[in-house]
Amino acid sequence: MTPSPSSAAVSAVPPPPITKAARVPAPLREVPIRRLSLDDLPACLRLAQDRSWPPEEQKWRFLFEVGQVYGLADPGGDLAATAVLTPYGPELAVVGMVLVAARYNRQGLGRRLMQHALAEAHGAPVALYATEAGRPLYESLGFRTLSTTTTHIGYFQPRPVAAGAGRVRPATPADSAAIFRLDAQVTGTNRQAVLDQLLLFAEYWWVLEHDGVIRGYAAAWRNIGQVVLGPVIAPDTAGAQQLVAAAGQALGPGERLRLEVDARVPNLLAWAPLHGLQPTFTTSLMVQGLRPCRGTGHSCSAPSCWLLIRAPITLRYRSSYVHFYRPGGHSRHAFNPQNSPRNRRRPRHWGGNRATPRR
């Protein structure tokens, strides 16, 4: 339904082989959807490979930490379908990893999982990324397209970067509170639970600092055959380019970088290929449940970055996104990270290069 969050090839992801869909047996139609656990990880990886997705064990583990993974098993005990819901409270929920085994194509299992995930969102606006093949299903469930996003992958080629208002440096644990505040301001949602886990999951963190104030940040993590950059939050194109360049220059020999760029950022779309990041495939950012704000023409309950430039859904399970924001702007959903009851652990490595890749 949705594209793989990462691809091992620079060329566009090929469509899965056409297989004859099996009729859904009556018992399977009656099997209840259940919340999966890490014990189901091997079955999730098998299902991903069935759909020609790579077996991204590290990323699936992350999703089990931050999201609600739902699945439906077939009579043989293997997973027939999955969907992952990541809620951010009443402001937003994100759906990803909507997978249906090839043998059950077009049998209604994807719709059933989506309806279950929407029910578990409890009325919050829901966002997802869709391929052309998945769009008809999502449109029938009330989703509409806000924008498109192109995935760029390649070997980063350093070139002179336009001077921006600030400098990029490796992040430190002392920056975490400022990162949380900036993320809440820009996205309009409380993503702290996800960011807490991202601090442990990502291998690199950078901040864009100007006059002692953090104006942007970026994180990166290794996936199969590439380093995924995201989220990226910046005040303007120059700031985004500085953060992307920092990531590209931190890669080791032979490592490829992956970046998602929204169609509403044409300057960055043009900039990425000039630095070795080639467009591979495009998906649609779709949302359900957003309502117009009075007299603004914008949408309430939507992350402000969607209204301006780009949303990371949290890593949309793709976690690579670029957000722009208006410096000095504020969100009605802003929160104080110091009030969080969570006892956060800090990663041992913040920003810069690491000698040993995390596995």
Side-chain angles (χ1 to χ4, degrees):
M1 296 296 179
T2 54
S4 167
S6 68
S7 165
V10 173
S11 58
V13 176
I18 298 175
T19 58
K20 186 176 181 179
R23 290 182 63 87
V24 177
L28 184 57
R29 291 197 297 267
E30 299 168 2
V31 171
I33 294 170
R34 66 181 178 89
R35 176 88 175 263
L36 303 183
S37 69
L38 273 176
D39 293 337
D40 299 295
L41 177 59
C44 293
L45 298 180
R46 288 194 298 271
L47 178 59
Q49 290 180 292
D50 175 77
R51 299 310 313 221
S52 299
W53 287 22
E56 301 167 301
E57 179 177 348
Q58 183 183 12
K59 189 188 67 187
W60 274 98
R61 288 183 179 275
F62 178 77
L63 296 179
F64 274 106
E65 288 287 342
V66 302
Q68 302 168 12
V69 185
Y70 296 103
L72 192 154
D74 66 16
D78 254 337
L79 281 178
T82 60
V84 180
L85 175 74
T86 302
Y88 300 150
E91 295 91 3
L92 179 69
V94 176
V95 171
M97 306 303 278
V98 181
L99 287 167
V100 177
R103 61 190 180 278
Y104 295 120
N105 271 346
R106 302 186 180 280
Q107 300 294 315
L109 296 188
R111 178 178 296 275
R112 187 178 169 199
L113 263 294
M114 278 298 303
Q115 290 172 331
H116 183 84
L118 292 174
E120 292 297 322
H122 302 298
V126 176
L128 55 79
Y129 285 84
T131 62
E132 285 301 308
R135 281 182 59 185
L137 168 62
Y138 303 132
E139 288 173 345
S140 72
L141 293 171
F143 285 82
R144 59 186 179 87
T145 299
L146 280 188
S147 186
T148 59
T149 298
T150 301
T151 297
H152 292 70
I153 303 174
Y155 300 100
F156 186 79
Q157 300 173 5
R159 296 176 184 272
V161 176
R167 67 181 183 93
V168 174
R169 62 168 175 80
T172 70
D175 298 318
S176 60
I179 289 173
F180 291 142
R181 284 194 297 270
L182 177 63
D183 189 84
Q185 171 194 328
V186 173
T187 66
T189 60
N190 185 338
R191 303 199 306 170
Q192 187 166 350
V194 173
L195 289 175
D196 278 339
Q197 293 300 320
L198 186 63
L199 292 179
L200 307 177
F201 177 74
E203 299 179 52
Y204 306 93
W205 282 86
W206 300 271
V207 293
L208 176 66
E209 188 175 47
H210 178 61
D211 291 338
V213 177
I214 291 177
R215 303 275 299 278
Y217 78 86
W221 49 279
R222 280 186 175 85
N223 202 5
I224 298 175
Q226 58 196 216
V227 174
V228 181
L229 178 61
V232 176
I233 289 182
D236 51 32
T237 301
Q241 291 173 354
Q242 288 178 271
L243 288 165
V244 175
Q249 293 167 6
L251 301 185
E255 287 190 305
R256 293 179 303 161
L257 184 67
R258 173 185 174 126
L259 174 71
E260 318 289 339
V261 184
D262 192 281
R264 292 168 289 181
V265 195
N267 290 341
L268 204 55
L269 280 172
W271 180 87
L274 297 177
H275 291 75
L277 306 179
Q278 301 304 320
T280 58
F281 59 90
T282 298
T283 54
S284 298
L285 169 61
M286 305 188 73
V287 294
Q288 184 214 65
L290 302 184
R291 62 188 185 278
C293 291
R294 295 180 186 175
T296 65
H298 295 314
S299 297
C300 296
S301 302
S304 59
C305 55
W306 287 357
L307 306 180
L308 301 176
I309 299 292
R310 166 82 166 128
I313 294 214
T314 109
L315 335 220
R316 186 236 174 191
Y317 307 50
R318 293 200 309 217
S319 167
S320 36
Y321 311 86
V322 175
H323 297 289
F324 285 1
Y325 68 95
R326 294 190 179 98
H330 297 280
S331 166
R332 63 187 176 88
H333 299 300
F335 67 101
N336 182 355
Q338 302 299 331
N339 294 335
S340 171
R342 295 173 58 88
N343 294 318
R344 296 185 299 278
R345 294 171 293 160
R346 296 301 178 213
R348 291 179 298 167
H349 303 276
W350 288 69
N353 282 307
R354 290 181 53 200
T356 304
R358 180 178 298 168
R359 301 297 182 190

